[in-house]
Amino acid sequence: MTEIVLMSDPRVAAVSVQECGERLVDVRRDSSLLVDERKWQDPAGAFAHLRQGVLDRLLKAQAQLPQGIRLLFVEGYRPPSLQRHYFDEYGDQLRADHPNWSVEQIRSAASRYVSPPEIAPHSAGAAVDLTLADADGRELDMGTRMNATPEESAGACYTQADNISDQARSNRDILGTALTAAGLVNYPTEWWHWSYGDRYWALMTGADAAHYGPKELDSA
């Protein structure tokens, strides 16, 4: 597929889930993965969790990076209630900016930046928001800040955007090459969002079903 398929596309929701029961693990327990501190105010530490299979692939990707470059993990698992809050909040913002848009237009536009809660890869523990850092933990230039909206960045948050510097393009290519080789797929409106085993991954890779569905942290 060459077109950008948004999370709100019916084809994503139509993918079946064959939940494998794999547990959520705290990535902070693996000292080789650099974990950013911007989400550490989360008292439950939910942000630092991923399915074991996703974490295994991140570690494989990190091993493929050029010397002196590391993955910087920012956010993984997101409770379904928090995902809904983010989706509704961004939808309200779009509604205020575009009062003439239909409900479906708002849902589609919102899904460029926040996945609809019912199919969200983050709520399945299948997605990770991450970037690259140097050996001292300093973030590399990726063209936009992580979590920049399409409006804020003039579309530069799209992975293949052409309004970024050559250095940022090179860094995005380094990130993408390592993660793709490890089996993850990118959400093309967000250079930082990668996933494995969720419905979006299944659709993009042609898998028969997703491995991971929405999950509560306390059921890990």
Side-chain angles (χ1 to χ4, degrees):
M1 297 183 184
T2 56
E3 90 274 21
I4 290 181
V5 177
L6 295 176
M7 290 285 183
S8 59
D9 193 300
R11 288 175 290 178
V12 180
V15 173
S16 63
V17 178
Q18 295 179 3
E19 174 60 57
C20 67
E22 197 173 279
R23 66 194 184 104
L24 289 163
V25 294
D26 191 332
V27 303
R28 293 171 295 184
R29 295 175 184 168
D30 187 299
S31 59
S32 69
L33 196 61
L34 186 62
V35 180
D36 188 86
E37 295 185 358
R38 71 190 76 179
K39 296 282 184 178
W40 280 47
Q41 72 273 17
D42 169 10
F47 80 96
H49 287 73
L50 284 176
R51 299 286 188 136
Q52 182 68 59
V54 184
L55 176 56
D56 290 344
R57 285 164 175 78
L58 287 186
L59 297 176
K60 288 179 181 178
Q62 179 157 270
Q64 299 303 313
L65 292 174
Q67 187 173 2
I69 296 180
R70 300 179 65 184
L71 295 178
L72 178 61
F73 175 101
V74 176
E75 184 178 17
Y77 175 73
R78 191 180 294 156
S81 59
L82 182 59
Q83 182 71 27
R84 177 161 294 282
H85 170 73
Y86 286 161
F87 186 74
D88 290 346
E89 184 177 55
Y90 186 47
D92 289 344
Q93 177 185 326
L94 291 171
R95 198 171 293 108
D97 292 340
H98 306 280
N100 295 324
W101 280 9
S102 67
V103 171
E104 198 49 49
Q105 283 176 303
I106 295 293
R107 177 179 167 83
S108 178
S111 75
R112 297 169 306 162
Y113 182 62
V114 186
S115 174
E118 62 274 13
I119 53 93
H122 279 290
S123 295
V128 57
D129 293 340
L130 78 175
T131 186
L132 294 176
D134 64 18
D136 295 320
R138 294 185 295 256
E139 290 185 48
L140 302 188
D141 176 16
M142 306 298 283
T144 74
R145 71 176 185 89
M146 182 179 289
N147 292 324
T149 66
E151 293 80 17
E152 168 194 333
S153 66
C157 59
Y158 282 49
T159 307
Q160 296 302 324
D162 56 13
N163 56 337
I164 61 174
S165 68
D166 290 344
Q167 185 61 62
R169 167 56 51 207
S170 175
N171 290 337
R172 288 190 190 187
D173 289 346
I174 289 170
L175 180 68
T177 297
L179 292 170
T180 300
L184 286 86
V185 301
N186 173 242
Y187 190 43
T189 63
E190 301 177 336
W191 60 259
W192 56 86
H193 177 107
W194 291 79
S195 68
Y196 169 82
D198 61 292
R199 282 170 157 153
Y200 195 84
W201 166 87
L203 180 64
M204 293 297 102
T205 61
D208 292 336
H211 303 322
Y212 311 131
K215 189 177 182 67
E216 295 292 343
L217 183 61
D218 59 9
S219 65

